[in-house]
Amino acid sequence: MGLLLLFAASLLIFVGTQILPGDVAQSILGQSATPQALANLRAELGLNEPAVSRYLSWLLGALHGDLGTALTNGQDIADAMGRRLGNTLFLAGCAAIIAVPLALTLGLVSVRYQGRWPDKLISAVTLASVSVPEFLLGYIVMFIMAVRLRAFPSVSTVYDSMSLLERLNAIALPVTVLVLVVLGHMMRMTRAAILNVMQSAYIETAELKGMRPFRIIWRHALPNAIAPVVNVVMLNLAYLVVGVVVVEVVFVYPGMGQYLVDHVAKRDVPVVQACGLVFAAVYIGLNMIADLVSILANPRLRHPK
């Protein structure tokens, strides 16, 4: 099913790029290009071939690891994308290392103090962070941390020669924004999953035995709520990789999102198709991992009647 979904995504990506307004030949040659020069360049780039043959050629190439060549600069897309994908995974990984444990901890605290001021405060703050658009949240964080406090750089540029500490300092602001964006969803879903388990009879038995509330939540409720929690964590991890486009553009971070936006502006269709296919593969792959973990965590799914 994952492979079929990836094939459907590739078809949708190709069709979407074909209906994009504009022409890469016009973008390369400029508005003063003659009709003959445009026709020659379109023939050279293979833009005059039927859409079906271009799709099949692109798909077969992608299956063999050949994502094509960028039309605007002639660079190999796989090589250029490899560096950008590494930067995006580094950014998403740093955000996940902070967001996942923090969301689980806040979810447990919220359940422990359900209906009291810690629960209300955590819910209000996380809901507010989710409700603010990413670009606005990015500019707010940039204004406070970079302009007013001058604690971190406003432009998150990274180089191969930078040390780990220099890289972490450079990406501090986009990581903060990504953590705030995904934290609320993971925390609220963790809270909901654990509260659902807390209604079970064995939880009441543990309470009657005199066990401490937090021990009941940690030892009995959380392990039995792990499947929905893992699902929502994986969905947010997929979002961290796939949904970083806006954050990368705001902070001028050299990742996949910035690479995609730059070539959409240039109408470089092969690059847009390759980025879309990689994003789809990451999203589908992480969702498959979430399904597998849910099956492993639930004996009823491992041993159906």
Side-chain angles (χ1 to χ4, degrees):
M1 291 299 296
L3 291 175
L4 289 176
L5 187 58
L6 186 59
F7 170 75
S10 71
L11 183 60
L12 183 62
I13 290 167
F14 184 84
V15 172
T17 55
Q18 299 310 302
I19 61 177
L20 281 174
D23 182 3
V24 65
Q26 189 78 60
S27 177
I28 294 173
L29 297 178
Q31 297 296 326
S32 59
T34 63
Q36 184 61 44
L38 289 173
N40 292 338
L41 184 57
R42 291 190 184 104
E44 180 182 344
L45 298 177
L47 301 177
N48 295 330
E49 297 179 8
V52 175
S53 64
R54 283 188 284 122
Y55 170 71
L56 293 176
S57 176
W58 170 66
L59 184 61
L60 290 175
L63 291 175
H64 290 86
D66 179 15
L67 296 176
T69 304
L71 300 180
T72 52
N73 54 23
Q75 291 183 350
D76 184 75
I77 297 175
D79 291 340
M81 189 181 295
R83 296 188 297 271
R84 299 286 188 135
L85 181 59
N87 289 338
T88 293
L89 292 176
F90 179 70
L91 179 64
C94 291
I97 290 173
I98 299 172
V100 174
L102 184 59
L104 293 177
T105 302
L106 291 177
L108 293 174
V109 173
S110 186
V111 171
R112 171 63 182 85
Y113 297 100
Q114 181 187 2
R116 296 158 66 179
W117 72 263
D119 179 27
K120 294 179 181 179
L121 178 62
I122 292 172
S123 297
V125 172
T126 53
L127 183 60
S129 67
V130 171
S131 303
V132 179
E134 294 171 31
F135 69 91
L136 179 58
L137 191 60
Y139 287 125
I140 291 173
V141 171
M142 185 188 299
F143 177 75
I144 296 173
M145 302 301 295
V147 178
R148 288 295 185 184
L149 300 179
R150 299 184 181 275
F152 299 100
S154 59
V155 177
S156 301
T157 304
V158 295
Y159 307 98
D160 293 337
S161 59
M162 294 176 70
S163 65
L164 178 60
L165 289 178
E166 290 174 334
R167 281 176 173 265
L168 293 175
N169 182 70
I171 67 170
L173 297 188
V175 165
T176 301
V177 173
L178 289 174
V179 169
L180 292 174
V181 168
V182 301
L183 182 63
H185 188 210
M186 286 194 290
M187 189 285 299
R188 294 174 70 85
M189 289 300 294
T190 300
R191 179 182 182 275
I194 295 176
L195 284 177
N196 184 54
V197 173
M198 292 292 287
Q199 308 301 320
S200 304
Y202 64 88
I203 298 295
E204 184 178 356
T205 302
E207 292 173 346
L208 292 174
K209 287 182 177 180
M211 293 183 66
R212 289 177 295 179
F214 197 81
R215 183 177 176 83
I216 294 174
I217 296 170
W218 179 256
R219 293 293 299 274
H220 297 285
L222 181 59
N224 289 284
I226 198 66
V229 171
V230 167
N231 273 304
V232 74
V233 167
M234 285 298 178
L235 284 173
N236 281 277
L237 290 181
Y239 174 80
L240 284 176
V241 177
V242 178
V244 297
V245 176
V246 174
V247 175
E248 288 187 356
V249 171
V250 169
F251 291 99
V252 199
Y253 183 74
M256 285 282 290
Q258 184 71 52
Y259 185 62
L260 172 63
V261 171
D262 288 344
H263 285 81
V264 166
K266 298 174 184 177
R267 304 297 186 269
D268 200 329
V269 173
V271 175
V272 178
Q273 291 174 343
C275 290
L277 189 63
V278 170
F279 281 149
V282 170
Y283 201 90
I284 293 170
L286 288 174
N287 276 275
M288 289 176 61
I289 293 174
D291 290 339
L292 292 173
V293 172
S294 297
I295 293 172
L296 294 174
N298 192 335
R300 290 175 296 181
L301 295 178
R302 293 202 309 269
H303 308 287
K305 293 182 178 180

